[in-house]
Amino acid sequence: MDRAISVKCTKAEVIWIFSDIEPVPFNRGFYSVDLKYFFKITLAVFTGVGHPCTIEGLSTFEKKVILFGSEGNAKIFESRYKEDAFDAQLWKKTNMPHAVVEVVDPITLGAKLVDVRSKGCGCCADDDFDLASIPDSISRVFDDSLVLGGDAKRVFVSLGIFSIIKLERKTQLLIPSYDFCVPQKECVGSTAPAPKRP
């Protein structure tokens, strides 16, 4: 990466989104949703004359939203059936909603190659990032192992994300059912009147 002259982002895709939901204290019915997006970034790196080489990288983004999910004071008790075993009793404190995130692959707005050694680069080089904090399910998406070295040059990518974040919870609906009944009237289709002779 240190020999790179310029970079171009060719592809960006969402790998996974981890979400965590907690009730907001002193605001009943509101919930805080913490999201962490994981992106797989494909770059074309130009090192001089010749074809660019393709490298893949990992980018993350964190977002926090507060949504109204109403109050759920009902307690839920249920059992899960297992063959040839006792039913495992599942107890849930409340019917707290769960977060659902719908997202499309991001749009690449720009990619910039920055020398982090230069003074006044204005970048936030995160040297204390721990590769062990990346889940194995994310690391397995890449063909090679992720490397976080002391490179002098880093790539900063700007992405445009469109996502819909919503809270869902199970509810009970009362739907009336009716017996089968035979229609009393005959349904006659509309017909065009016959043309009259002059």
Side-chain angles (χ1 to χ4, degrees), residues 20-25 27-34 64-73 94-99 165 167-169:
D20 182 39
I21 182 170
E22 294 289 333
V24 176
N27 282 325
R28 297 179 67 176
F30 286 87
Y31 297 88
S32 170
V33 183
D34 295 309
K64 182 176 190 171
V65 295
I66 295 178
L67 301 173
F68 181 74
S70 74
E71 295 181 44
N73 297 325
T94 62
N95 58 343
M96 192 168 86
H98 63 276
I165 304 163
L167 296 178
E168 293 182 352
R169 99 160 21 113

Side-chain angles (χ1 to χ4, degrees), residues 166-185:
K166 55 188 176 180
L167 296 178
E168 293 182 352
R169 99 160 21 113
K170 293 180 180 178
T171 59
Q172 293 182 353
L173 297 176
L174 182 62
I175 301 173
S177 61
Y178 300 100
D179 292 335
F180 175 76
C181 58
V182 179
Q184 301 296 326
K185 296 182 180 179

